[in-house]
Amino acid sequence: MTITLDICDLTRQLADHRRLRVLHDQLAAAAQADGVLDIAYRIVDTPVGSLLLAATERGLVRVAYTAEDHDAVLQSLADRISPRVLRAPTRLDRAARQIEEYFARRRTTFDLALDGNCRPIFGTRCCTAWPSTCTTGRPSATACWRLRSAVRPRSAPSVPHAPNPLPIVIPCHRVVRADGSIGDYLGGPEAKRTLLAMEAAA
């Protein structure tokens, strides 16, 4: 009897979950249609853990590792840009697809519109190919120099330590220390090693 009740409870919970998901999707679609969905987000699973992707109507505004605390990242976006934040995966279909292709080694560049909040530092589009790694002292490849110049003026002596709001899409993981050590990374050292090893094997 207890088992029957437990199964009934589980069935009811699953039905409630489906209804809530349908209602949520309807809400997201209505918000998008009415132009009041300022920030859409979704979570994608990758070999370096779950990534939060967030975008405004203008383009991608944030890529965040689990180590950054997704809830804290969403709160920061709400505080900085708009409190109208909602899980709405459709807006991020293109970004999610390109991330998936990158990890499947079917893509070596990203071609995504970026939100204006990233423009002062990172420009409006990112199409940087996989380069060799570079050190914080001197780039070892033209593509790496382009990465460096994108985040700091040409006259700057080294890559800045300001957090990159779009890791992977803006490939800061390719920057290693001058002594050859892996250096710091938002996603943690294992994520950085995984990305470098994957790109080196491609």
Side-chain angles (χ1 to χ4, degrees):
M1 186 65 176
T2 303
I3 294 176
T4 304
L5 287 174
D6 288 345
I7 292 174
C8 289
D9 287 343
L10 180 59
T11 302
R12 192 177 304 110
Q13 289 173 18
L14 288 172
D16 290 343
H17 177 74
R18 290 192 194 99
R19 281 194 291 271
L20 285 173
R21 182 153 191 172
V22 169
L23 288 173
H24 180 95
D25 292 345
Q26 290 173 345
L27 175 63
Q32 178 72 34
D34 292 342
V36 295
L37 178 54
D38 292 338
I39 302 173
Y41 74 90
R42 72 187 289 173
I43 306 293
V44 295
D45 292 325
T46 76
V48 292
S50 296
L51 295 177
L52 168 75
L53 308 181
T56 67
E57 288 187 335
R58 292 184 295 274
L60 192 66
V61 72
R62 196 69 167 85
V63 176
Y65 284 98
T66 304
E68 298 179 73
D69 185 348
H70 290 169
D71 289 339
V73 170
L74 291 172
Q75 184 61 56
S76 175
L77 290 171
D79 294 342
R80 186 167 56 90
I81 301 174
S82 169
R84 296 190 295 196
V85 180
L86 192 64
R87 184 184 64 80
T90 303
R91 181 182 290 177
L92 290 140
D93 281 349
R94 181 182 176 89
R97 183 173 63 252
Q98 290 195 20
I99 290 284
E100 179 183 343
E101 290 169 352
Y102 165 80
F103 281 106
R105 300 180 188 173
R106 299 195 305 271
R107 170 174 292 275
T108 59
T109 63
F110 290 95
D111 184 12
L112 298 168
L114 306 184
D115 178 83
N117 285 280
C118 298
R119 188 176 303 153
I121 299 176
F122 296 103
T124 55
R125 300 186 76 77
C126 175
C127 304
T128 307
W130 291 0
S132 303
T133 57
C134 64
T135 67
T136 54
R138 179 187 303 176
S140 59
T142 301
C144 191
W145 179 89
R146 283 194 319 219
L147 164 63
R148 178 181 170 187
S149 63
V151 298
R152 201 170 196 180
R154 294 184 191 182
S155 59
S158 63
V159 176
H161 296 289
N164 175 4
L166 301 169
I168 299 177
V169 174
I170 301 292
C172 61
H173 60 272
R174 296 175 188 148
V175 180
V176 296
R177 289 177 176 164
D179 63 4
S181 61
I182 199 162
D184 298 327
Y185 188 59
L186 276 174
E190 287 307 311
K192 188 169 184 175
R193 289 190 187 94
T194 297
L195 294 172
L196 292 174
M198 182 189 75
E199 292 181 357

